Short mmCIF file of all heavy atoms in Angstrom, two decimals:
data_model
loop_
_atom_site.label_atom_id
_atom_site.label_comp_id
_atom_site.label_asym_id
_atom_site.label_seq_id
_atom_site.Cartn_x
_atom_site.Cartn_y
_atom_site.Cartn_z
N MET A 1 -29.23 142.36 46.69
CA MET A 1 -28.52 141.51 47.59
C MET A 1 -27.58 140.60 46.69
O MET A 1 -28.00 140.20 45.63
CB MET A 1 -29.64 140.66 48.25
CG MET A 1 -29.08 139.82 49.42
SD MET A 1 -30.44 139.00 50.31
CE MET A 1 -30.36 139.92 51.81
N THR A 2 -26.43 140.32 47.24
CA THR A 2 -25.40 139.58 46.45
C THR A 2 -25.77 138.09 46.55
O THR A 2 -26.52 137.68 47.48
CB THR A 2 -24.00 139.83 46.89
OG1 THR A 2 -23.95 139.26 48.29
CG2 THR A 2 -23.71 141.28 46.93
N LEU A 3 -25.15 137.23 45.64
CA LEU A 3 -25.31 135.81 45.79
C LEU A 3 -24.86 135.29 47.10
O LEU A 3 -25.52 134.48 47.74
CB LEU A 3 -24.49 135.23 44.64
CG LEU A 3 -24.57 133.67 44.62
CD1 LEU A 3 -26.05 133.08 44.42
CD2 LEU A 3 -23.76 133.09 43.49
N THR A 4 -23.63 135.86 47.56
CA THR A 4 -23.13 135.44 48.90
C THR A 4 -24.10 135.80 50.07
O THR A 4 -24.40 134.98 50.94
CB THR A 4 -21.80 136.12 49.19
OG1 THR A 4 -20.89 135.75 48.15
CG2 THR A 4 -21.22 135.72 50.57
N ALA A 5 -24.75 136.97 49.98
CA ALA A 5 -25.76 137.33 50.96
C ALA A 5 -26.92 136.45 50.87
O ALA A 5 -27.48 136.07 51.97
CB ALA A 5 -26.10 138.93 50.77
N ASN A 6 -27.31 136.06 49.72
CA ASN A 6 -28.62 135.25 49.62
C ASN A 6 -28.30 133.93 50.16
O ASN A 6 -29.13 133.29 50.87
CB ASN A 6 -28.96 135.13 48.19
CG ASN A 6 -29.64 136.40 47.57
OD1 ASN A 6 -30.22 137.11 48.28
ND2 ASN A 6 -29.56 136.55 46.23
N LYS A 7 -27.07 133.35 49.90
CA LYS A 7 -26.71 132.09 50.43
C LYS A 7 -26.72 132.07 51.95
O LYS A 7 -27.18 131.13 52.64
CB LYS A 7 -25.34 131.60 49.90
CG LYS A 7 -25.35 131.15 48.45
CD LYS A 7 -23.96 130.74 48.02
CE LYS A 7 -24.04 130.31 46.62
NZ LYS A 7 -22.62 129.76 46.17
N LEU A 8 -26.22 133.17 52.54
CA LEU A 8 -26.18 133.32 54.02
C LEU A 8 -27.59 133.34 54.55
O LEU A 8 -27.79 132.70 55.64
CB LEU A 8 -25.38 134.55 54.37
CG LEU A 8 -25.22 134.82 55.86
CD1 LEU A 8 -24.53 133.62 56.55
CD2 LEU A 8 -24.63 136.10 56.11
N VAL A 9 -28.50 133.90 53.96
CA VAL A 9 -29.87 134.00 54.42
C VAL A 9 -30.49 132.56 54.47
O VAL A 9 -31.01 132.19 55.34
CB VAL A 9 -30.80 134.93 53.50
CG1 VAL A 9 -32.27 134.70 53.89
CG2 VAL A 9 -30.45 136.40 53.81
N VAL A 10 -30.19 131.89 53.44
CA VAL A 10 -30.75 130.53 53.26
C VAL A 10 -30.07 129.58 54.30
O VAL A 10 -30.74 128.83 55.04
CB VAL A 10 -30.59 129.82 51.92
CG1 VAL A 10 -30.99 128.37 51.85
CG2 VAL A 10 -31.50 130.65 50.83
N GLN A 11 -28.68 129.70 54.47
CA GLN A 11 -28.06 128.83 55.42
C GLN A 11 -28.47 129.20 56.86
O GLN A 11 -28.65 128.26 57.61
CB GLN A 11 -26.59 129.03 55.25
CG GLN A 11 -25.70 128.10 56.09
CD GLN A 11 -25.89 126.67 55.68
OE1 GLN A 11 -25.75 126.32 54.53
NE2 GLN A 11 -26.39 125.82 56.61
N THR A 12 -28.57 130.55 57.16
CA THR A 12 -29.07 130.97 58.50
C THR A 12 -30.46 130.38 58.86
O THR A 12 -30.72 129.98 59.87
CB THR A 12 -29.03 132.46 58.61
OG1 THR A 12 -27.61 132.89 58.41
CG2 THR A 12 -29.46 132.85 59.99
N PHE A 13 -31.31 130.38 57.72
CA PHE A 13 -32.69 129.92 57.87
C PHE A 13 -32.69 128.42 58.33
O PHE A 13 -33.37 128.07 59.39
CB PHE A 13 -33.47 130.08 56.62
CG PHE A 13 -34.82 129.48 56.62
CD1 PHE A 13 -35.92 130.27 56.99
CD2 PHE A 13 -35.01 128.20 56.11
CE1 PHE A 13 -37.16 129.61 57.00
CE2 PHE A 13 -36.34 127.56 56.08
CZ PHE A 13 -37.37 128.37 56.63
N TYR A 14 -31.95 127.63 57.54
CA TYR A 14 -31.91 126.20 57.89
C TYR A 14 -31.11 125.86 59.21
O TYR A 14 -31.52 125.06 59.99
CB TYR A 14 -31.30 125.36 56.78
CG TYR A 14 -32.31 125.24 55.68
CD1 TYR A 14 -32.18 125.83 54.38
CD2 TYR A 14 -33.40 124.38 55.86
CE1 TYR A 14 -33.10 125.71 53.54
CE2 TYR A 14 -34.35 124.29 54.80
CZ TYR A 14 -34.19 124.91 53.60
OH TYR A 14 -35.18 124.80 52.63
N ASP A 15 -30.04 126.58 59.50
CA ASP A 15 -29.29 126.45 60.73
C ASP A 15 -30.13 126.72 61.84
O ASP A 15 -30.20 126.00 62.94
CB ASP A 15 -28.05 127.18 60.71
CG ASP A 15 -26.91 126.75 59.73
OD1 ASP A 15 -27.06 125.69 59.23
OD2 ASP A 15 -25.96 127.54 59.54
N SER A 16 -30.82 127.84 61.86
CA SER A 16 -31.73 128.26 62.94
C SER A 16 -32.92 127.25 63.11
O SER A 16 -33.10 126.95 64.29
CB SER A 16 -32.41 129.63 62.58
OG SER A 16 -31.31 130.63 62.45
N ALA A 17 -33.42 126.73 62.05
CA ALA A 17 -34.54 125.83 62.17
C ALA A 17 -34.01 124.50 62.79
O ALA A 17 -34.67 123.88 63.67
CB ALA A 17 -35.00 125.39 60.80
N ASN A 18 -32.84 124.04 62.50
CA ASN A 18 -32.16 122.92 62.98
C ASN A 18 -31.94 122.98 64.52
O ASN A 18 -32.13 121.97 65.22
CB ASN A 18 -30.90 122.50 62.25
CG ASN A 18 -30.36 121.17 62.58
OD1 ASN A 18 -31.05 120.18 62.69
ND2 ASN A 18 -29.06 121.11 62.86
N ARG A 19 -31.63 124.14 65.00
CA ARG A 19 -31.43 124.40 66.36
C ARG A 19 -32.68 124.55 67.13
O ARG A 19 -32.70 124.57 68.34
CB ARG A 19 -30.58 125.65 66.59
CG ARG A 19 -29.16 125.56 66.28
CD ARG A 19 -28.36 126.93 66.76
NE ARG A 19 -29.12 128.14 66.54
CZ ARG A 19 -28.94 128.85 65.44
NH1 ARG A 19 -28.18 128.47 64.36
NH2 ARG A 19 -29.58 130.02 65.29
N GLY A 20 -33.86 124.65 66.33
CA GLY A 20 -35.18 124.94 66.99
C GLY A 20 -35.33 126.40 67.31
O GLY A 20 -36.32 126.69 67.96
N ASP A 21 -34.47 127.22 66.73
CA ASP A 21 -34.66 128.75 66.94
C ASP A 21 -35.45 129.26 65.86
O ASP A 21 -35.09 129.80 64.89
CB ASP A 21 -33.26 129.34 66.97
CG ASP A 21 -33.31 130.79 67.31
OD1 ASP A 21 -34.34 131.42 67.36
OD2 ASP A 21 -32.24 131.33 67.50
N MET A 22 -36.86 129.04 65.96
CA MET A 22 -37.74 129.53 64.90
C MET A 22 -37.82 130.97 64.85
O MET A 22 -38.15 131.56 63.76
CB MET A 22 -39.14 128.87 65.15
CG MET A 22 -39.17 127.37 65.00
SD MET A 22 -38.30 126.74 63.53
CE MET A 22 -39.47 127.31 62.32
N GLU A 23 -37.57 131.71 65.94
CA GLU A 23 -37.56 133.19 65.80
C GLU A 23 -36.48 133.63 64.88
O GLU A 23 -36.72 134.50 63.99
CB GLU A 23 -37.35 133.83 67.20
CG GLU A 23 -37.46 135.29 67.15
CD GLU A 23 -37.46 135.93 68.55
OE1 GLU A 23 -37.66 135.24 69.54
OE2 GLU A 23 -37.10 137.09 68.65
N ALA A 24 -35.25 133.15 65.01
CA ALA A 24 -34.16 133.45 64.11
C ALA A 24 -34.50 133.01 62.67
O ALA A 24 -34.18 133.75 61.75
CB ALA A 24 -32.90 132.94 64.55
N CYS A 25 -35.06 131.80 62.59
CA CYS A 25 -35.41 131.22 61.25
C CYS A 25 -36.34 132.15 60.51
O CYS A 25 -36.02 132.51 59.37
CB CYS A 25 -35.95 129.82 61.49
SG CYS A 25 -36.43 128.95 60.04
N MET A 26 -37.40 132.46 61.09
CA MET A 26 -38.44 133.22 60.51
C MET A 26 -38.00 134.61 60.39
O MET A 26 -38.46 135.35 59.48
CB MET A 26 -39.72 133.19 61.32
CG MET A 26 -40.39 131.78 61.37
SD MET A 26 -40.52 131.00 59.76
CE MET A 26 -41.80 132.01 59.02
N GLY A 27 -36.97 135.12 61.06
CA GLY A 27 -36.40 136.46 60.95
C GLY A 27 -35.78 136.64 59.54
O GLY A 27 -35.49 137.78 59.14
N GLN A 28 -35.40 135.53 58.97
CA GLN A 28 -34.73 135.57 57.69
C GLN A 28 -35.68 135.80 56.54
O GLN A 28 -35.34 136.06 55.39
CB GLN A 28 -33.95 134.28 57.44
CG GLN A 28 -32.93 133.99 58.36
CD GLN A 28 -31.97 135.06 58.52
OE1 GLN A 28 -31.24 135.46 57.50
NE2 GLN A 28 -31.75 135.68 59.66
N LEU A 29 -37.02 135.64 56.78
CA LEU A 29 -38.01 135.81 55.74
C LEU A 29 -38.75 137.20 55.86
O LEU A 29 -39.12 137.60 56.94
CB LEU A 29 -39.02 134.67 55.86
CG LEU A 29 -38.46 133.20 55.90
CD1 LEU A 29 -39.55 132.25 55.99
CD2 LEU A 29 -37.82 133.00 54.51
N GLY A 30 -39.09 137.65 54.78
CA GLY A 30 -39.98 138.95 54.68
C GLY A 30 -41.41 138.63 54.88
O GLY A 30 -41.79 137.32 54.61
N GLU A 31 -42.15 139.51 55.38
CA GLU A 31 -43.62 139.25 55.57
C GLU A 31 -44.38 138.77 54.31
O GLU A 31 -45.28 138.18 54.33
CB GLU A 31 -44.29 140.47 56.16
CG GLU A 31 -43.86 140.74 57.62
CD GLU A 31 -44.29 139.63 58.57
OE1 GLU A 31 -45.37 139.05 58.37
OE2 GLU A 31 -43.56 139.44 59.57
N ASP A 32 -43.77 139.30 53.17
CA ASP A 32 -44.45 139.08 51.87
C ASP A 32 -43.75 137.88 51.19
O ASP A 32 -43.82 137.77 49.98
CB ASP A 32 -44.39 140.36 50.99
CG ASP A 32 -42.88 140.78 50.72
OD1 ASP A 32 -41.96 140.26 51.42
OD2 ASP A 32 -42.85 141.60 49.82
N VAL A 33 -43.10 136.89 51.91
CA VAL A 33 -42.39 135.80 51.30
C VAL A 33 -43.40 135.05 50.35
O VAL A 33 -44.55 134.86 50.59
CB VAL A 33 -41.82 134.85 52.33
CG1 VAL A 33 -42.94 134.25 53.14
CG2 VAL A 33 -40.92 133.86 51.68
N SER A 34 -42.82 134.59 49.22
CA SER A 34 -43.57 133.66 48.29
C SER A 34 -42.67 132.46 48.17
O SER A 34 -41.46 132.55 47.91
CB SER A 34 -43.70 134.29 46.88
OG SER A 34 -44.62 135.25 47.03
N TRP A 35 -43.18 131.26 48.37
CA TRP A 35 -42.42 129.92 48.53
C TRP A 35 -43.19 129.00 47.65
O TRP A 35 -44.38 128.84 48.00
CB TRP A 35 -42.30 129.57 49.94
CG TRP A 35 -41.56 128.44 50.35
CD1 TRP A 35 -41.69 127.10 49.86
CD2 TRP A 35 -40.46 128.34 51.11
NE1 TRP A 35 -40.88 126.24 50.43
CE2 TRP A 35 -40.07 126.94 51.30
CE3 TRP A 35 -39.88 129.22 52.06
CZ2 TRP A 35 -39.07 126.52 52.14
CZ3 TRP A 35 -38.79 128.84 52.87
CH2 TRP A 35 -38.37 127.50 52.93
N THR A 36 -42.47 128.29 46.80
CA THR A 36 -43.13 127.29 45.98
C THR A 36 -42.35 126.00 46.07
O THR A 36 -41.13 126.05 45.81
CB THR A 36 -43.22 127.82 44.53
OG1 THR A 36 -44.05 128.91 44.44
CG2 THR A 36 -43.87 126.67 43.66
N ASN A 37 -42.99 124.93 46.41
CA ASN A 37 -42.49 123.54 46.31
C ASN A 37 -43.07 122.86 45.18
O ASN A 37 -44.27 122.73 45.13
CB ASN A 37 -42.75 122.79 47.61
CG ASN A 37 -41.88 123.26 48.87
OD1 ASN A 37 -40.84 123.93 48.64
ND2 ASN A 37 -42.34 122.93 50.02
N ILE A 38 -42.29 122.47 44.15
CA ILE A 38 -42.86 121.84 42.97
C ILE A 38 -43.00 120.27 43.36
O ILE A 38 -42.40 119.81 44.36
CB ILE A 38 -41.94 122.00 41.81
CG1 ILE A 38 -40.50 121.40 42.11
CG2 ILE A 38 -41.78 123.47 41.33
CD1 ILE A 38 -39.71 121.41 40.75
N GLY A 39 -43.83 119.70 42.59
CA GLY A 39 -44.06 118.34 42.84
C GLY A 39 -45.51 117.99 43.11
O GLY A 39 -46.37 118.82 42.98
N SER A 40 -45.68 116.73 43.64
CA SER A 40 -47.11 116.35 43.87
C SER A 40 -47.22 115.81 45.22
O SER A 40 -48.00 114.83 45.38
CB SER A 40 -47.57 115.38 42.77
OG SER A 40 -46.69 114.27 42.74
N THR A 41 -46.39 116.22 46.22
CA THR A 41 -46.52 115.69 47.57
C THR A 41 -47.45 116.55 48.33
O THR A 41 -47.89 117.65 47.91
CB THR A 41 -45.10 115.66 48.28
OG1 THR A 41 -44.84 117.15 48.56
CG2 THR A 41 -44.03 115.05 47.41
N ARG A 42 -47.72 116.15 49.58
CA ARG A 42 -48.64 117.00 50.38
C ARG A 42 -47.95 118.29 50.82
O ARG A 42 -48.75 119.13 51.29
CB ARG A 42 -49.07 116.23 51.71
CG ARG A 42 -48.00 115.81 52.58
CD ARG A 42 -48.59 115.01 53.82
NE ARG A 42 -47.40 114.47 54.57
CZ ARG A 42 -47.58 113.93 55.62
NH1 ARG A 42 -48.86 113.77 56.27
NH2 ARG A 42 -46.55 113.34 56.34
N TYR A 43 -46.77 118.44 50.54
CA TYR A 43 -45.99 119.69 50.87
C TYR A 43 -45.77 120.47 49.63
O TYR A 43 -45.04 121.55 49.71
CB TYR A 43 -44.69 119.45 51.59
CG TYR A 43 -44.93 118.66 52.88
CD1 TYR A 43 -44.42 117.41 53.08
CD2 TYR A 43 -45.68 119.14 53.85
CE1 TYR A 43 -44.56 116.64 54.23
CE2 TYR A 43 -45.88 118.50 55.04
CZ TYR A 43 -45.48 117.24 55.27
OH TYR A 43 -45.55 116.50 56.43
N SER A 44 -46.22 120.09 48.52
CA SER A 44 -46.13 120.77 47.24
C SER A 44 -47.15 121.92 47.27
O SER A 44 -48.13 121.86 47.81
CB SER A 44 -46.30 119.98 46.07
OG SER A 44 -45.42 118.83 46.00
N GLY A 45 -46.79 122.98 46.49
CA GLY A 45 -47.70 124.12 46.28
C GLY A 45 -47.00 125.44 46.49
O GLY A 45 -45.81 125.40 46.78
N SER A 46 -47.81 126.44 46.39
CA SER A 46 -47.29 127.88 46.61
C SER A 46 -47.88 128.35 47.94
O SER A 46 -49.00 128.16 48.28
CB SER A 46 -47.77 128.74 45.50
OG SER A 46 -47.06 128.29 44.25
N PHE A 47 -47.06 129.05 48.60
CA PHE A 47 -47.38 129.61 49.90
C PHE A 47 -46.96 131.14 49.85
O PHE A 47 -45.93 131.54 49.45
CB PHE A 47 -46.54 128.96 50.99
CG PHE A 47 -46.67 127.46 50.97
CD1 PHE A 47 -45.74 126.73 50.10
CD2 PHE A 47 -47.73 126.75 51.52
CE1 PHE A 47 -45.90 125.29 50.05
CE2 PHE A 47 -47.72 125.46 51.45
CZ PHE A 47 -46.89 124.69 50.77
N HIS A 48 -48.04 131.97 50.27
CA HIS A 48 -47.82 133.41 50.16
C HIS A 48 -47.99 134.13 51.53
O HIS A 48 -49.01 133.98 52.09
CB HIS A 48 -48.89 133.97 49.14
CG HIS A 48 -48.77 133.35 47.86
ND1 HIS A 48 -47.76 133.59 46.92
CD2 HIS A 48 -49.53 132.37 47.25
CE1 HIS A 48 -47.85 132.85 45.92
NE2 HIS A 48 -49.01 132.10 46.04
N GLY A 49 -46.85 134.76 52.00
CA GLY A 49 -46.88 135.28 53.25
C GLY A 49 -46.45 134.43 54.28
O GLY A 49 -46.51 133.26 54.26
N LYS A 50 -45.78 134.99 55.36
CA LYS A 50 -45.28 134.16 56.51
C LYS A 50 -46.42 133.30 57.20
O LYS A 50 -46.17 132.13 57.47
CB LYS A 50 -44.70 135.08 57.58
CG LYS A 50 -43.30 135.36 57.34
CD LYS A 50 -42.71 136.09 58.57
CE LYS A 50 -41.32 136.56 58.37
NZ LYS A 50 -40.74 137.23 59.41
N ALA A 51 -47.55 133.90 57.37
CA ALA A 51 -48.62 133.11 58.11
C ALA A 51 -48.99 131.83 57.31
O ALA A 51 -49.23 130.72 57.91
CB ALA A 51 -49.82 133.97 58.37
N ASP A 52 -49.15 132.02 56.02
CA ASP A 52 -49.58 130.78 55.12
C ASP A 52 -48.44 129.88 55.08
O ASP A 52 -48.64 128.69 55.26
CB ASP A 52 -49.78 131.47 53.75
CG ASP A 52 -50.36 130.33 52.78
OD1 ASP A 52 -51.24 129.55 53.29
OD2 ASP A 52 -49.90 130.39 51.57
N LEU A 53 -47.20 130.34 54.98
CA LEU A 53 -46.00 129.40 54.95
C LEU A 53 -45.90 128.69 56.24
O LEU A 53 -45.66 127.39 56.21
CB LEU A 53 -44.75 130.29 54.66
CG LEU A 53 -43.36 129.44 54.69
CD1 LEU A 53 -43.42 128.59 53.46
CD2 LEU A 53 -42.19 130.34 54.66
N VAL A 54 -46.11 129.35 57.33
CA VAL A 54 -45.95 128.63 58.59
C VAL A 54 -47.07 127.62 58.76
O VAL A 54 -46.91 126.40 59.10
CB VAL A 54 -45.92 129.70 59.77
CG1 VAL A 54 -46.15 128.89 61.15
CG2 VAL A 54 -44.69 130.48 59.76
N ALA A 55 -48.30 128.02 58.52
CA ALA A 55 -49.52 127.24 58.87
C ALA A 55 -49.54 125.92 58.01
O ALA A 55 -49.93 124.79 58.36
CB ALA A 55 -50.78 128.04 58.69
N ARG A 56 -49.22 126.10 56.69
CA ARG A 56 -49.48 125.11 55.73
C ARG A 56 -48.26 124.30 55.34
O ARG A 56 -48.36 123.17 54.82
CB ARG A 56 -50.12 125.60 54.47
CG ARG A 56 -51.54 126.18 54.66
CD ARG A 56 -52.33 126.44 53.50
NE ARG A 56 -51.67 127.18 52.41
CZ ARG A 56 -51.36 126.67 51.17
NH1 ARG A 56 -51.75 125.46 50.80
NH2 ARG A 56 -50.70 127.38 50.32
N LEU A 57 -47.08 124.80 55.68
CA LEU A 57 -45.86 124.08 55.29
C LEU A 57 -44.97 123.84 56.50
O LEU A 57 -44.58 122.69 56.81
CB LEU A 57 -45.04 124.78 54.15
CG LEU A 57 -43.75 124.10 53.74
CD1 LEU A 57 -43.99 122.77 53.13
CD2 LEU A 57 -43.01 125.00 52.80
N LEU A 58 -44.39 124.87 57.13
CA LEU A 58 -43.37 124.81 57.98
C LEU A 58 -43.84 124.05 59.30
O LEU A 58 -43.04 123.07 59.81
CB LEU A 58 -42.73 126.13 58.46
CG LEU A 58 -42.06 126.78 57.33
CD1 LEU A 58 -41.53 128.20 57.80
CD2 LEU A 58 -41.04 126.01 56.56
N GLN A 59 -44.86 124.33 59.80
CA GLN A 59 -45.38 123.60 61.06
C GLN A 59 -45.58 122.13 60.84
O GLN A 59 -45.08 121.24 61.52
CB GLN A 59 -46.62 124.26 61.75
CG GLN A 59 -46.35 125.48 62.43
CD GLN A 59 -47.56 126.07 63.05
OE1 GLN A 59 -48.72 125.88 62.50
NE2 GLN A 59 -47.40 127.01 63.97
N PRO A 60 -46.24 121.78 59.65
CA PRO A 60 -46.39 120.31 59.36
C PRO A 60 -45.12 119.64 59.12
O PRO A 60 -44.79 118.51 59.59
CB PRO A 60 -47.32 120.29 58.16
CG PRO A 60 -47.96 121.53 58.24
CD PRO A 60 -47.09 122.52 58.72
N VAL A 61 -44.15 120.21 58.27
CA VAL A 61 -42.92 119.63 57.98
C VAL A 61 -42.01 119.52 59.24
O VAL A 61 -41.55 118.41 59.59
CB VAL A 61 -42.13 120.39 56.92
CG1 VAL A 61 -40.66 119.89 56.80
CG2 VAL A 61 -42.90 120.29 55.65
N PHE A 62 -41.80 120.61 59.96
CA PHE A 62 -40.90 120.57 61.12
C PHE A 62 -41.49 119.63 62.15
O PHE A 62 -40.76 119.06 62.92
CB PHE A 62 -40.53 121.92 61.63
CG PHE A 62 -39.81 122.80 60.78
CD1 PHE A 62 -39.84 124.16 60.82
CD2 PHE A 62 -38.90 122.13 59.89
CE1 PHE A 62 -39.00 124.92 59.95
CE2 PHE A 62 -38.12 122.92 59.02
CZ PHE A 62 -38.22 124.33 59.06
N GLY A 63 -42.78 119.51 62.32
CA GLY A 63 -43.32 118.67 63.23
C GLY A 63 -43.22 117.18 62.94
O GLY A 63 -43.25 116.25 63.88
N GLN A 64 -42.76 116.88 61.65
CA GLN A 64 -42.52 115.49 61.33
C GLN A 64 -41.09 115.08 61.59
O GLN A 64 -40.62 114.02 61.51
CB GLN A 64 -42.76 115.33 59.86
CG GLN A 64 -44.14 115.48 59.47
CD GLN A 64 -45.03 114.16 59.57
OE1 GLN A 64 -44.42 113.16 59.30
NE2 GLN A 64 -46.23 114.34 59.89
N LEU A 65 -40.11 116.16 61.73
CA LEU A 65 -38.69 115.91 61.86
C LEU A 65 -38.24 115.76 63.25
O LEU A 65 -38.25 116.65 64.11
CB LEU A 65 -37.95 117.07 61.21
CG LEU A 65 -38.29 117.32 59.77
CD1 LEU A 65 -37.52 118.65 59.32
CD2 LEU A 65 -37.82 116.18 58.89
N ARG A 66 -37.81 114.54 63.59
CA ARG A 66 -37.34 114.28 65.03
C ARG A 66 -35.93 114.79 65.30
O ARG A 66 -35.54 115.24 66.31
CB ARG A 66 -37.45 112.83 65.30
CG ARG A 66 -38.80 112.30 65.29
CD ARG A 66 -38.81 110.86 65.46
NE ARG A 66 -40.00 110.23 64.96
CZ ARG A 66 -41.03 109.91 65.77
NH1 ARG A 66 -40.79 110.04 67.05
NH2 ARG A 66 -42.16 109.43 65.31
N ALA A 67 -35.10 114.72 64.19
CA ALA A 67 -33.57 115.03 64.29
C ALA A 67 -33.31 116.47 63.77
O ALA A 67 -32.14 116.74 63.61
CB ALA A 67 -32.74 114.02 63.75
N GLY A 68 -34.35 117.17 63.29
CA GLY A 68 -33.96 118.52 62.68
C GLY A 68 -33.61 118.38 61.32
O GLY A 68 -33.82 117.38 60.70
N ILE A 69 -32.98 119.37 60.77
CA ILE A 69 -32.37 119.49 59.37
C ILE A 69 -30.97 119.44 59.42
O ILE A 69 -30.35 120.25 60.07
CB ILE A 69 -33.03 120.71 58.67
CG1 ILE A 69 -34.49 120.71 58.69
CG2 ILE A 69 -32.43 120.79 57.20
CD1 ILE A 69 -35.11 122.03 58.27
N THR A 70 -30.34 118.60 58.65
CA THR A 70 -28.98 118.47 58.54
C THR A 70 -28.61 118.55 57.02
O THR A 70 -29.34 118.01 56.21
CB THR A 70 -28.27 117.29 59.27
OG1 THR A 70 -28.87 116.14 58.51
CG2 THR A 70 -28.57 117.27 60.65
N SER A 71 -27.31 118.97 56.73
CA SER A 71 -26.89 118.96 55.32
C SER A 71 -26.05 117.84 55.03
O SER A 71 -25.61 117.05 55.97
CB SER A 71 -26.10 120.30 55.08
OG SER A 71 -25.08 120.44 56.01
#
């Protein structure tokens, strides 16, 4: 995958999430996704697979955002 293609995946992920289109958002991720947030917040850690990512990171984070995600 090219750098441009990778950027498009990330931008599409966030744009879809901002619109509330979680189907399109999650469609950008592989079932075997590995996601790591560095730091020491409650959202820090490593997440393995879509189910883990959704349950332990995305649902809690997006549930806190009233206005969505903007750049």
Side-chain angles (χ1 to χ4, degrees):
M1 194 174 248
T2 67
L3 179 60
T4 301
N6 285 337
K7 287 180 179 180
L8 181 59
V9 167
V10 172
Q11 188 64 55
T12 301
F13 176 87
Y14 283 109
D15 289 346
S16 300
N18 190 46
R19 288 191 314 271
D21 185 352
M22 294 311 292
E23 184 175 338
C25 177
M26 296 307 291
Q28 299 303 303
L29 302 177
E31 290 297 326
D32 61 347
V33 63
S34 289
W35 182 302
T36 300
N37 287 342
I38 60 171
S40 58
T41 72
R42 63 181 169 172
Y43 302 118
S44 299
S46 293
F47 309 90
H48 304 286
K50 275 188 184 181
D52 186 43
L53 179 66
V54 169
R56 294 192 314 119
L57 179 65
L58 298 181
Q59 285 178 337
V61 169
F62 291 154
Q64 299 270 326
L65 302 175
R66 295 173 198 259
I69 299 172
T70 60
S71 54

